[in-house]
Amino acid sequence: MSRAGDWLAERFPVSPEQLRTMTNEPVPLHLKRFWFALGGTPAYLFVVQVVTGIILAFYYQPTPATAYESVRYITEEAAFGWYVRGLHKWGATLMIAAVILHQMRVYFTGAYRKPRELNWMVGMTLLIATLMLGFTGYSLVYEQLSYWGATVGANMAAGVPLIGNLLQQMLLGGETYNEHTLSRFYVLHAAVLPMLIVILVMLHIALIRMHGIAPLEDSNASKPVEQKTFDFFPDHVITELIVGLGLMIVLSVLATVIPASLGPPANPLVTPEVIKPEWFFYVAFRWLKLFSGTFALMSIGFIVFVMYVWPWIDGWFRRRTRFTEASVWIGIVAALGIIALTVWEGLVTH
């Protein structure tokens, strides 16, 4: 072995055989299906968001006087700025969609059941953190709709019982949108939420490693389904690389064909006739329009609480009733309700 090899082996005392054993954990065969391997997609898109976000941060200036102009400069004058901003925007959209689909897959396959209840709660927190990442990112553009969307969001937070005023103060830096608000959204978007997501993903992966990947179950099978596996390296790694390359092509096409747009700059003195949040908040926005403020907020909080503790509610159903697969039908009804409210809000102008 060369002197450089001896130096490295002394400081990193792991042989190639040991490294292969450590990284080449058998992967269940059902992860070859894209529906079951959705967990890697948001992780890849998060990396895209971090890289493109760092590039955009070289130009973006988070103050009310400069934010809109810096976004306009990125979009219209900086070299390939339109492309990087397009990747960032569409990456956020696809990441949120992928996290929602991954959480739905975990739900409908019962992968949250004992002993994986805590990992389900980690996944729920990741979903909320991802939605908040989208909300704060949308607000940073400082165009008319993003300004008023942030104002409406902060006012909704103020309606939360007991801690509403505290949430509003933390978001806005005061009781109304002011010169400190944009920098707070920027800190949340570029530092606090990404760091939280990294910590949660590490915890998520650690729990998966400790419990193993949830096996594929067949409720109609008379005997346990044989769990076939394949190698993590190179088989699964190559699959992930192909998926990542495909996502990069999709993002590039979207960024080119439907580039990130820029509306009129924020005007705090003029309230738009129509205020709409990003698509992933359509369901909550429509719910708020249908019911009174306090009831709507309380019911949304209750639904989120039920989703967090669902593994224990489902366990009670399975132990105490004959409706052992009630979660499937409840999930179908909930999914149809979410789709209906989202489409409803998307189609109407008010």
Side-chain angles (χ1 to χ4, degrees):
M1 187 177 290
S2 65
R3 292 182 62 185
D6 292 339
W7 185 91
L8 182 63
E10 187 176 359
R11 284 151 185 82
F12 189 67
V14 179
S15 67
E17 291 74 19
Q18 290 173 315
L19 187 62
R20 182 179 176 80
T21 302
M22 289 166 58
T23 58
N24 200 22
E25 184 173 342
V27 180
L29 190 61
H30 61 273
L31 284 198
K32 280 186 176 291
R33 305 175 189 177
F34 180 69
W35 178 246
F36 283 90
L38 268 172
T41 302
Y44 173 82
L45 291 168
F46 178 68
V47 173
V48 172
Q49 292 305 95
V50 170
V51 173
T52 54
I54 290 173
I55 297 173
L56 293 174
F58 281 108
Y59 298 96
Y60 182 70
Q61 300 175 34
T63 70
T66 58
Y68 183 85
E69 175 58 26
S70 63
V71 175
R72 189 208 60 78
Y73 178 82
I74 291 169
T75 307
E76 299 178 1
E77 297 187 36
F80 296 102
W82 63 272
Y83 177 67
V84 177
R85 186 174 167 232
L87 291 181
H88 198 71
K89 180 205 170 184
W90 284 109
T93 299
L94 295 187
M95 180 179 167
I96 291 169
V99 172
I100 293 172
L101 291 175
H102 177 57
Q103 198 73 352
M104 288 178 64
R105 196 282 297 169
V106 172
Y107 178 88
F108 280 110
T109 57
Y112 55 81
R113 289 170 181 156
K114 183 182 178 181
R116 299 178 175 83
E117 299 97 326
L118 293 180
N119 218 2
W120 166 262
M121 297 178 78
V122 171
M124 280 298 304
T125 311
L126 270 170
L127 173 60
I128 292 173
T130 305
L131 293 174
M132 289 303 299
L133 200 63
F135 169 71
T136 51
Y138 176 62
S139 305
L140 292 179
V141 181
Y142 205 65
E143 59 187 10
Q144 183 73 327
L145 283 181
S146 67
Y147 171 87
W148 286 101
T151 303
V152 171
N155 291 337
M156 287 168 54
V160 177
L162 301 178
I163 60 171
N165 290 333
L166 177 62
L167 288 175
Q168 187 186 40
Q169 289 279 343
M170 289 177 64
L171 277 174
L172 300 180
E175 294 182 355
T176 59
Y177 205 111
N178 57 70
E179 68 272 17
H180 304 298
T181 302
L182 209 52
S183 60
R184 291 198 173 215
F185 278 123
Y186 188 57
V187 170
L188 284 172
H189 184 75
V192 176
L193 289 169
M195 190 178 298
L196 175 63
I197 288 176
V198 169
I199 293 171
L200 289 171
V201 168
M202 291 172 64
L203 179 59
H204 192 56
I205 293 173
L207 287 170
I208 291 174
R209 296 281 302 206
M210 283 187 273
H211 291 300
I213 295 172
L216 180 63
E217 295 181 353
D218 184 353
S219 57
N220 297 319
S222 57
K223 58 183 180 180
V225 178
E226 183 183 359
Q227 300 297 323
K228 297 180 180 178
T229 62
F230 64 98
D231 289 340
F232 180 84
F233 184 84
D235 296 8
H236 192 61
V237 172
I238 290 175
T239 302
E240 290 291 338
L241 289 175
I242 293 173
V243 171
L245 179 61
L247 284 170
M248 204 63 217
I249 293 173
V250 171
L251 285 175
S252 296
V253 170
L254 288 171
T256 305
V257 177
I258 315 174
S261 59
L262 191 60
N267 186 347
L269 302 178
V270 177
T271 306
E273 291 186 10
V274 179
I275 301 176
K276 278 183 183 286
E278 286 284 84
W279 65 270
F280 43 87
F281 283 124
Y282 275 8
V283 58
F285 202 55
R286 173 49 51 181
W287 189 265
L288 287 168
K289 288 179 179 177
L290 289 176
F291 302 100
S292 65
T294 302
F295 172 80
L297 287 172
M298 292 287 287
S299 56
I300 290 174
F302 178 74
I303 291 170
V304 172
F305 171 76
V306 169
M307 291 174 69
Y308 260 97
V309 299
W310 182 255
W312 289 275
I313 297 175
D314 176 60
W316 184 87
F317 268 111
R318 291 167 64 83
R319 286 193 309 273
R320 302 295 180 88
T321 73
R322 59 188 177 88
F323 305 110
T324 56
E325 296 301 327
S327 62
V328 175
W329 296 105
I330 293 172
I332 290 173
V333 172
L336 290 176
I338 291 171
I339 293 171
L341 291 174
T342 300
V343 173
W344 184 359
E345 181 58 34
L347 292 177
V348 299
T349 54
H350 292 282

